[in-house]
mmCIF file of all heavy atoms in Angstrom:
data_model
loop_
_atom_site.group_PDB
_atom_site.id
_atom_site.type_symbol
_atom_site.label_atom_id
_atom_site.label_comp_id
_atom_site.label_asym_id
_atom_site.label_seq_id
_atom_site.Cartn_x
_atom_site.Cartn_y
_atom_site.Cartn_z
ATOM 1 N N GLY S 34 2.595 -20.842 -27.291
ATOM 2 C CA GLY S 34 2.876 -22.130 -27.897
ATOM 3 C C GLY S 34 2.297 -23.254 -27.061
ATOM 4 O O GLY S 34 1.532 -23.013 -26.115
ATOM 5 N N PRO S 35 2.647 -24.490 -27.369
ATOM 6 C CA PRO S 35 2.094 -25.643 -26.650
ATOM 7 C C PRO S 35 2.293 -25.603 -25.137
ATOM 8 O O PRO S 35 1.368 -25.890 -24.376
ATOM 9 C CB PRO S 35 2.840 -26.827 -27.274
ATOM 10 C CG PRO S 35 3.187 -26.357 -28.651
ATOM 11 C CD PRO S 35 3.496 -24.910 -28.503
ATOM 12 N N LYS S 36 3.503 -25.253 -24.670
ATOM 13 C CA LYS S 36 3.768 -25.241 -23.228
ATOM 14 C C LYS S 36 2.941 -24.179 -22.504
ATOM 15 O O LYS S 36 2.341 -24.430 -21.463
ATOM 16 C CB LYS S 36 5.255 -25.018 -22.961
ATOM 17 C CG LYS S 36 6.138 -26.193 -23.364
ATOM 18 C CD LYS S 36 7.593 -25.933 -23.005
ATOM 19 C CE LYS S 36 8.466 -27.131 -23.376
ATOM 20 N NZ LYS S 36 9.901 -26.883 -23.055
ATOM 21 N N THR S 37 2.911 -22.979 -23.084
ATOM 22 C CA THR S 37 2.136 -21.904 -22.474
ATOM 23 C C THR S 37 0.647 -22.214 -22.511
ATOM 24 O O THR S 37 -0.084 -21.962 -21.554
ATOM 25 C CB THR S 37 2.398 -20.569 -23.196
ATOM 26 O OG1 THR S 37 3.793 -20.271 -23.126
ATOM 27 C CG2 THR S 37 1.613 -19.438 -22.546
ATOM 28 N N ALA S 38 0.190 -22.783 -23.628
ATOM 29 C CA ALA S 38 -1.228 -23.137 -23.755
ATOM 30 C C ALA S 38 -1.633 -24.136 -22.675
ATOM 31 O O ALA S 38 -2.698 -24.010 -22.056
ATOM 32 C CB ALA S 38 -1.503 -23.716 -25.134
ATOM 33 N N ALA S 39 -0.780 -25.125 -22.427
ATOM 34 C CA ALA S 39 -1.076 -26.125 -21.398
ATOM 35 C C ALA S 39 -1.172 -25.481 -20.023
ATOM 36 O O ALA S 39 -2.064 -25.808 -19.222
ATOM 37 C CB ALA S 39 -0.005 -27.212 -21.401
ATOM 38 N N LEU S 40 -0.286 -24.530 -19.739
ATOM 39 C CA LEU S 40 -0.321 -23.830 -18.449
ATOM 40 C C LEU S 40 -1.572 -22.968 -18.313
ATOM 41 O O LEU S 40 -2.207 -22.919 -17.255
ATOM 42 C CB LEU S 40 0.930 -22.957 -18.294
ATOM 43 C CG LEU S 40 2.247 -23.700 -18.027
ATOM 44 C CD1 LEU S 40 3.421 -22.744 -18.127
ATOM 45 C CD2 LEU S 40 2.217 -24.362 -16.656
ATOM 46 N N LEU S 41 -1.933 -22.291 -19.402
ATOM 47 C CA LEU S 41 -3.118 -21.432 -19.377
ATOM 48 C C LEU S 41 -4.388 -22.252 -19.147
ATOM 49 O O LEU S 41 -5.273 -21.854 -18.388
ATOM 50 C CB LEU S 41 -3.228 -20.647 -20.683
ATOM 51 C CG LEU S 41 -2.173 -19.561 -20.891
ATOM 52 C CD1 LEU S 41 -2.249 -19.000 -22.307
ATOM 53 C CD2 LEU S 41 -2.326 -18.442 -19.867
ATOM 54 N N VAL S 42 -4.480 -23.402 -19.813
ATOM 55 C CA VAL S 42 -5.638 -24.282 -19.607
ATOM 56 C C VAL S 42 -5.676 -24.756 -18.156
ATOM 57 O O VAL S 42 -6.739 -24.827 -17.538
ATOM 58 C CB VAL S 42 -5.581 -25.481 -20.576
ATOM 59 C CG1 VAL S 42 -6.631 -26.524 -20.206
ATOM 60 C CG2 VAL S 42 -5.805 -25.015 -22.010
ATOM 61 N N LYS S 43 -4.507 -25.071 -17.614
ATOM 62 C CA LYS S 43 -4.416 -25.580 -16.239
ATOM 63 C C LYS S 43 -4.952 -24.573 -15.220
ATOM 64 O O LYS S 43 -5.574 -24.961 -14.226
ATOM 65 C CB LYS S 43 -2.971 -25.937 -15.918
ATOM 66 C CG LYS S 43 -2.792 -26.646 -14.585
ATOM 67 C CD LYS S 43 -1.352 -27.080 -14.387
ATOM 68 C CE LYS S 43 -1.206 -27.819 -13.051
ATOM 69 N NZ LYS S 43 0.203 -28.273 -12.848
ATOM 70 N N ILE S 44 -4.729 -23.264 -15.461
ATOM 71 C CA ILE S 44 -5.203 -22.264 -14.506
ATOM 72 C C ILE S 44 -6.623 -21.791 -14.796
ATOM 73 O O ILE S 44 -7.149 -20.917 -14.107
ATOM 74 C CB ILE S 44 -4.258 -21.050 -14.442
ATOM 75 C CG1 ILE S 44 -4.257 -20.295 -15.782
ATOM 76 C CG2 ILE S 44 -2.870 -21.475 -14.028
ATOM 77 C CD1 ILE S 44 -3.574 -18.954 -15.705
ATOM 78 N N GLY S 45 -7.227 -22.347 -15.856
ATOM 79 C CA GLY S 45 -8.641 -22.066 -16.083
ATOM 80 C C GLY S 45 -9.010 -21.220 -17.274
ATOM 81 O O GLY S 45 -10.169 -20.810 -17.414
ATOM 82 N N VAL S 46 -8.071 -20.923 -18.164
ATOM 83 C CA VAL S 46 -8.415 -20.173 -19.377
ATOM 84 C C VAL S 46 -9.305 -21.052 -20.243
ATOM 85 O O VAL S 46 -8.921 -22.150 -20.636
ATOM 86 C CB VAL S 46 -7.146 -19.762 -20.152
ATOM 87 C CG1 VAL S 46 -7.529 -19.070 -21.461
ATOM 88 C CG2 VAL S 46 -6.294 -18.840 -19.309
ATOM 89 N N ASP S 47 -10.504 -20.563 -20.524
ATOM 90 C CA ASP S 47 -11.526 -21.373 -21.190
ATOM 91 C C ASP S 47 -11.867 -20.814 -22.562
ATOM 92 O O ASP S 47 -12.623 -19.848 -22.681
ATOM 93 C CB ASP S 47 -12.779 -21.435 -20.312
ATOM 94 C CG ASP S 47 -13.828 -22.390 -20.846
ATOM 95 O OD1 ASP S 47 -13.597 -22.973 -21.925
ATOM 96 O OD2 ASP S 47 -14.873 -22.554 -20.199
ATOM 97 N N ALA S 48 -11.312 -21.424 -23.605
ATOM 98 C CA ALA S 48 -11.530 -20.940 -24.971
ATOM 99 C C ALA S 48 -12.960 -21.138 -25.448
ATOM 100 O O ALA S 48 -13.353 -20.597 -26.482
ATOM 101 C CB ALA S 48 -10.569 -21.636 -25.928
ATOM 102 N N SER S 49 -13.755 -21.918 -24.706
ATOM 103 C CA SER S 49 -15.150 -22.119 -25.106
ATOM 104 C C SER S 49 -16.002 -20.890 -24.810
ATOM 105 O O SER S 49 -17.091 -20.740 -25.355
ATOM 106 C CB SER S 49 -15.744 -23.341 -24.395
ATOM 107 O OG SER S 49 -15.878 -23.103 -23.003
ATOM 108 N N ALA S 50 -15.501 -20.006 -23.941
ATOM 109 C CA ALA S 50 -16.248 -18.794 -23.586
ATOM 110 C C ALA S 50 -16.228 -17.802 -24.745
ATOM 111 O O ALA S 50 -15.188 -17.572 -25.355
ATOM 112 C CB ALA S 50 -15.646 -18.161 -22.340
ATOM 113 N N VAL S 51 -17.383 -17.229 -25.022
ATOM 114 C CA VAL S 51 -17.476 -16.264 -26.121
ATOM 115 C C VAL S 51 -16.702 -14.989 -25.782
ATOM 116 O O VAL S 51 -16.046 -14.393 -26.625
ATOM 117 C CB VAL S 51 -18.950 -15.924 -26.425
ATOM 118 C CG1 VAL S 51 -19.041 -14.865 -27.516
ATOM 119 C CG2 VAL S 51 -19.704 -17.180 -26.832
ATOM 120 N N GLU S 52 -16.757 -14.578 -24.503
ATOM 121 C CA GLU S 52 -16.068 -13.369 -24.047
ATOM 122 C C GLU S 52 -14.839 -13.733 -23.220
ATOM 123 O O GLU S 52 -14.840 -14.715 -22.490
ATOM 124 C CB GLU S 52 -17.019 -12.500 -23.203
ATOM 125 C CG GLU S 52 -18.272 -12.040 -23.938
ATOM 126 C CD GLU S 52 -17.965 -11.063 -25.061
ATOM 127 O OE1 GLU S 52 -16.908 -10.395 -24.986
ATOM 128 O OE2 GLU S 52 -18.766 -10.968 -26.001
ATOM 129 N N PHE S 53 -13.803 -12.923 -23.339
ATOM 130 C CA PHE S 53 -12.572 -13.136 -22.575
ATOM 131 C C PHE S 53 -12.828 -12.910 -21.082
ATOM 132 O O PHE S 53 -13.501 -11.963 -20.701
ATOM 133 C CB PHE S 53 -11.493 -12.174 -23.063
ATOM 134 C CG PHE S 53 -10.215 -12.214 -22.261
ATOM 135 C CD1 PHE S 53 -9.293 -13.224 -22.466
ATOM 136 C CD2 PHE S 53 -9.952 -11.249 -21.306
ATOM 137 C CE1 PHE S 53 -8.115 -13.277 -21.737
ATOM 138 C CE2 PHE S 53 -8.777 -11.279 -20.569
ATOM 139 C CZ PHE S 53 -7.856 -12.298 -20.786
ATOM 140 N N ARG S 54 -12.280 -13.795 -20.250
ATOM 141 C CA ARG S 54 -12.411 -13.650 -18.799
ATOM 142 C C ARG S 54 -11.024 -13.690 -18.179
ATOM 143 O O ARG S 54 -10.325 -14.694 -18.248
ATOM 144 C CB ARG S 54 -13.272 -14.783 -18.225
ATOM 145 C CG ARG S 54 -13.531 -14.672 -16.727
ATOM 146 C CD ARG S 54 -14.615 -15.653 -16.309
ATOM 147 N NE ARG S 54 -14.240 -17.028 -16.553
ATOM 148 C CZ ARG S 54 -13.609 -17.799 -15.656
ATOM 149 N NH1 ARG S 54 -13.282 -17.305 -14.475
ATOM 150 N NH2 ARG S 54 -13.307 -19.057 -15.933
ATOM 151 N N SER S 55 -10.628 -12.574 -17.570
ATOM 152 C CA SER S 55 -9.298 -12.472 -16.987
ATOM 153 C C SER S 55 -9.189 -13.294 -15.713
ATOM 154 O O SER S 55 -10.154 -13.444 -14.960
ATOM 155 C CB SER S 55 -8.968 -11.007 -16.686
ATOM 156 O OG SER S 55 -7.676 -10.898 -16.137
ATOM 157 N N LEU S 56 -7.998 -13.825 -15.452
ATOM 158 C CA LEU S 56 -7.729 -14.598 -14.242
ATOM 159 C C LEU S 56 -6.466 -14.065 -13.582
ATOM 160 O O LEU S 56 -5.493 -13.730 -14.261
ATOM 161 C CB LEU S 56 -7.541 -16.084 -14.580
ATOM 162 C CG LEU S 56 -8.781 -16.808 -15.118
ATOM 163 C CD1 LEU S 56 -8.385 -18.170 -15.672
ATOM 164 C CD2 LEU S 56 -9.813 -16.983 -14.014
ATOM 165 N N PRO S 57 -6.440 -13.963 -12.238
ATOM 166 C CA PRO S 57 -5.297 -13.384 -11.523
ATOM 167 C C PRO S 57 -3.962 -14.057 -11.820
ATOM 168 O O PRO S 57 -2.919 -13.412 -11.825
ATOM 169 C CB PRO S 57 -5.682 -13.579 -10.048
ATOM 170 C CG PRO S 57 -7.164 -13.693 -10.050
ATOM 171 C CD PRO S 57 -7.509 -14.384 -11.340
ATOM 172 N N LEU S 58 -3.970 -15.373 -12.079
ATOM 173 C CA LEU S 58 -2.718 -16.096 -12.253
ATOM 174 C C LEU S 58 -2.128 -15.981 -13.655
ATOM 175 O O LEU S 58 -1.018 -16.427 -13.904
ATOM 176 C CB LEU S 58 -2.921 -17.581 -11.918
ATOM 177 C CG LEU S 58 -3.167 -17.919 -10.455
ATOM 178 C CD1 LEU S 58 -3.467 -19.411 -10.319
ATOM 179 C CD2 LEU S 58 -1.966 -17.556 -9.601
ATOM 180 N N MET S 59 -2.854 -15.375 -14.578
ATOM 181 C CA MET S 59 -2.412 -15.341 -15.974
ATOM 182 C C MET S 59 -1.039 -14.701 -16.144
ATOM 183 O O MET S 59 -0.158 -15.233 -16.809
ATOM 184 C CB MET S 59 -3.424 -14.586 -16.827
ATOM 185 C CG MET S 59 -4.627 -15.406 -17.225
ATOM 186 S SD MET S 59 -5.639 -14.483 -18.380
ATOM 187 C CE MET S 59 -6.963 -15.648 -18.638
ATOM 188 N N VAL S 60 -0.845 -13.526 -15.537
ATOM 189 C CA VAL S 60 0.403 -12.790 -15.724
ATOM 190 C C VAL S 60 1.585 -13.579 -15.177
ATOM 191 O O VAL S 60 2.684 -13.546 -15.719
ATOM 192 C CB VAL S 60 0.320 -11.408 -15.053
ATOM 193 C CG1 VAL S 60 1.635 -10.659 -15.198
ATOM 194 C CG2 VAL S 60 -0.805 -10.597 -15.678
ATOM 195 N N LYS S 61 1.358 -14.337 -14.105
ATOM 196 C CA LYS S 61 2.426 -15.160 -13.537
ATOM 197 C C LYS S 61 2.814 -16.287 -14.490
ATOM 198 O O LYS S 61 3.952 -16.722 -14.534
ATOM 199 C CB LYS S 61 1.977 -15.745 -12.195
ATOM 200 C CG LYS S 61 1.794 -14.707 -11.092
ATOM 201 C CD LYS S 61 1.420 -15.376 -9.781
ATOM 202 C CE LYS S 61 1.239 -14.337 -8.675
ATOM 203 N NZ LYS S 61 0.857 -14.982 -7.392
ATOM 204 N N VAL S 62 1.844 -16.765 -15.245
ATOM 205 C CA VAL S 62 2.111 -17.865 -16.175
ATOM 206 C C VAL S 62 2.873 -17.372 -17.397
ATOM 207 O O VAL S 62 3.796 -18.013 -17.877
ATOM 208 C CB VAL S 62 0.789 -18.537 -16.608
ATOM 209 C CG1 VAL S 62 1.037 -19.546 -17.723
ATOM 210 C CG2 VAL S 62 0.151 -19.230 -15.423
ATOM 211 N N HIS S 63 2.497 -16.233 -17.898
ATOM 212 C CA HIS S 63 3.102 -15.749 -19.139
ATOM 213 C C HIS S 63 3.067 -14.222 -19.147
ATOM 214 O O HIS S 63 1.984 -13.630 -19.129
ATOM 215 C CB HIS S 63 2.336 -16.303 -20.340
ATOM 216 C CG HIS S 63 3.104 -16.215 -21.621
ATOM 217 N ND1 HIS S 63 3.320 -15.032 -22.275
ATOM 218 C CD2 HIS S 63 3.727 -17.170 -22.363
ATOM 219 C CE1 HIS S 63 4.021 -15.255 -23.384
ATOM 220 N NE2 HIS S 63 4.283 -16.543 -23.448
ATOM 221 N N PRO S 64 4.215 -13.551 -19.185
ATOM 222 C CA PRO S 64 4.252 -12.090 -19.120
ATOM 223 C C PRO S 64 3.593 -11.408 -20.316
ATOM 224 O O PRO S 64 3.203 -10.249 -20.241
ATOM 225 C CB PRO S 64 5.761 -11.771 -19.057
ATOM 226 C CG PRO S 64 6.426 -12.971 -19.667
ATOM 227 C CD PRO S 64 5.561 -14.136 -19.275
ATOM 228 N N ARG S 65 3.478 -12.140 -21.431
ATOM 229 C CA ARG S 65 2.858 -11.535 -22.621
ATOM 230 C C ARG S 65 1.436 -12.047 -22.831
ATOM 231 O O ARG S 65 0.949 -12.099 -23.946
ATOM 232 C CB ARG S 65 3.708 -11.854 -23.850
ATOM 233 C CG ARG S 65 5.051 -11.140 -23.866
ATOM 234 C CD ARG S 65 5.860 -11.543 -25.080
ATOM 235 N NE ARG S 65 6.269 -12.931 -25.022
ATOM 236 C CZ ARG S 65 6.862 -13.576 -26.032
ATOM 237 N NH1 ARG S 65 7.066 -12.943 -27.177
ATOM 238 N NH2 ARG S 65 7.216 -14.833 -25.919
ATOM 239 N N VAL S 66 0.782 -12.389 -21.746
ATOM 240 C CA VAL S 66 -0.537 -12.995 -21.854
ATOM 241 C C VAL S 66 -1.638 -11.978 -22.152
ATOM 242 O O VAL S 66 -2.733 -12.334 -22.536
ATOM 243 C CB VAL S 66 -0.884 -13.775 -20.563
ATOM 244 C CG1 VAL S 66 -1.357 -12.833 -19.471
ATOM 245 C CG2 VAL S 66 -1.921 -14.848 -20.843
ATOM 246 N N ILE S 67 -1.330 -10.704 -21.982
ATOM 247 C CA ILE S 67 -2.318 -9.655 -22.246
ATOM 248 C C ILE S 67 -2.900 -9.740 -23.656
ATOM 249 O O ILE S 67 -4.085 -9.538 -23.862
ATOM 250 C CB ILE S 67 -1.714 -8.253 -21.999
ATOM 251 C CG1 ILE S 67 -1.369 -8.091 -20.508
ATOM 252 C CG2 ILE S 67 -2.691 -7.160 -22.410
ATOM 253 C CD1 ILE S 67 -0.680 -6.785 -20.176
ATOM 254 N N PRO S 68 -2.096 -10.067 -24.690
ATOM 255 C CA PRO S 68 -2.664 -10.180 -26.039
ATOM 256 C C PRO S 68 -3.791 -11.207 -26.170
ATOM 257 O O PRO S 68 -4.501 -11.196 -27.167
ATOM 258 C CB PRO S 68 -1.455 -10.579 -26.895
ATOM 259 C CG PRO S 68 -0.282 -10.025 -26.174
ATOM 260 C CD PRO S 68 -0.623 -10.181 -24.727
ATOM 261 N N LEU S 69 -3.929 -12.083 -25.183
ATOM 262 C CA LEU S 69 -5.039 -13.036 -25.246
ATOM 263 C C LEU S 69 -6.365 -12.328 -25.460
ATOM 264 O O LEU S 69 -7.191 -12.754 -26.251
ATOM 265 C CB LEU S 69 -5.120 -13.853 -23.948
ATOM 266 C CG LEU S 69 -4.260 -15.114 -23.812
ATOM 267 C CD1 LEU S 69 -4.553 -15.777 -22.481
ATOM 268 C CD2 LEU S 69 -4.506 -16.075 -24.950
ATOM 269 N N GLN S 70 -6.570 -11.240 -24.717
ATOM 270 C CA GLN S 70 -7.830 -10.504 -24.828
ATOM 271 C C GLN S 70 -7.984 -9.914 -26.222
ATOM 272 O O GLN S 70 -9.075 -9.926 -26.795
ATOM 273 C CB GLN S 70 -7.894 -9.398 -23.780
ATOM 274 C CG GLN S 70 -9.235 -8.672 -23.760
ATOM 275 C CD GLN S 70 -9.368 -7.770 -22.556
ATOM 276 O OE1 GLN S 70 -8.441 -7.642 -21.760
ATOM 277 N NE2 GLN S 70 -10.514 -7.140 -22.400
ATOM 278 N N GLN S 71 -6.899 -9.423 -26.779
ATOM 279 C CA GLN S 71 -6.947 -8.808 -28.108
ATOM 280 C C GLN S 71 -7.274 -9.837 -29.194
ATOM 281 O O GLN S 71 -7.883 -9.509 -30.208
ATOM 282 C CB GLN S 71 -5.612 -8.135 -28.416
ATOM 283 C CG GLN S 71 -5.236 -7.045 -27.426
ATOM 284 C CD GLN S 71 -3.801 -6.565 -27.633
ATOM 285 O OE1 GLN S 71 -3.144 -6.940 -28.601
ATOM 286 N NE2 GLN S 71 -3.317 -5.735 -26.725
ATOM 287 N N HIS S 72 -6.842 -11.070 -28.968
ATOM 288 C CA HIS S 72 -7.017 -12.113 -29.985
ATOM 289 C C HIS S 72 -8.093 -13.129 -29.595
ATOM 290 O O HIS S 72 -8.160 -14.198 -30.198
ATOM 291 C CB HIS S 72 -5.692 -12.852 -30.207
ATOM 292 C CG HIS S 72 -4.592 -11.975 -30.719
ATOM 293 N ND1 HIS S 72 -4.509 -11.573 -32.036
ATOM 294 C CD2 HIS S 72 -3.543 -11.403 -30.083
ATOM 295 C CE1 HIS S 72 -3.446 -10.804 -32.192
ATOM 296 N NE2 HIS S 72 -2.841 -10.691 -31.031
ATOM 297 N N TRP S 73 -8.906 -12.787 -28.613
ATOM 298 C CA TRP S 73 -9.859 -13.772 -28.093
ATOM 299 C C TRP S 73 -10.847 -14.256 -29.140
ATOM 300 O O TRP S 73 -11.240 -15.416 -29.165
ATOM 301 C CB TRP S 73 -10.619 -13.230 -26.882
ATOM 302 C CG TRP S 73 -11.342 -14.315 -26.156
ATOM 303 C CD1 TRP S 73 -12.683 -14.586 -26.149
ATOM 304 C CD2 TRP S 73 -10.730 -15.328 -25.339
ATOM 305 N NE1 TRP S 73 -12.950 -15.683 -25.383
ATOM 306 C CE2 TRP S 73 -11.771 -16.159 -24.873
ATOM 307 C CE3 TRP S 73 -9.418 -15.606 -24.964
ATOM 308 C CZ2 TRP S 73 -11.519 -17.256 -24.054
ATOM 309 C CZ3 TRP S 73 -9.175 -16.689 -24.148
ATOM 310 C CH2 TRP S 73 -10.224 -17.503 -23.706
ATOM 311 N N ARG S 74 -11.262 -13.382 -30.023
ATOM 312 C CA ARG S 74 -12.215 -13.786 -31.065
ATOM 313 C C ARG S 74 -11.632 -14.917 -31.909
ATOM 314 O O ARG S 74 -12.311 -15.902 -32.201
ATOM 315 C CB ARG S 74 -12.562 -12.591 -31.951
ATOM 316 C CG ARG S 74 -13.553 -12.936 -33.058
ATOM 317 C CD ARG S 74 -13.919 -11.713 -33.874
ATOM 318 N NE ARG S 74 -14.811 -12.052 -34.967
ATOM 319 C CZ ARG S 74 -15.283 -11.156 -35.847
ATOM 320 N NH1 ARG S 74 -14.942 -9.888 -35.740
ATOM 321 N NH2 ARG S 74 -16.092 -11.537 -36.808
ATOM 322 N N ASN S 75 -10.344 -14.788 -32.292
ATOM 323 C CA ASN S 75 -9.693 -15.832 -33.092
ATOM 324 C C ASN S 75 -9.516 -17.117 -32.280
ATOM 325 O O ASN S 75 -9.648 -18.223 -32.816
ATOM 326 C CB ASN S 75 -8.337 -15.342 -33.581
ATOM 327 C CG ASN S 75 -8.458 -14.216 -34.586
ATOM 328 O OD1 ASN S 75 -9.467 -14.101 -35.284
ATOM 329 N ND2 ASN S 75 -7.446 -13.379 -34.666
#
């Protein structure tokens, strides 16, 4: 949601990238962040 999205952007998640790029801090920000890779195309 909005709060998680803001945190993800803050740590460097870049939706402009065509391919998903994992970052070490992602799991600390959101325990269910793994689905990001599955839904990256969308």
Side-chain angles (χ1 to χ4, degrees):
K36 291 183 178 179
T37 301
L40 287 171
L41 290 171
V42 170
K43 188 175 181 179
I44 65 169
V46 176
D47 187 358
S49 68
V51 177
E52 300 293 336
F53 175 79
R54 183 168 62 91
S55 181
L56 294 168
L58 291 175
M59 280 187 181
V60 178
K61 293 183 180 179
V62 172
H63 198 287
R65 291 178 293 172
V66 80
I67 295 176
L69 274 182
Q70 185 169 3
Q71 300 170 8
H72 298 283
W73 194 255
R74 180 177 177 180
N75 293 334

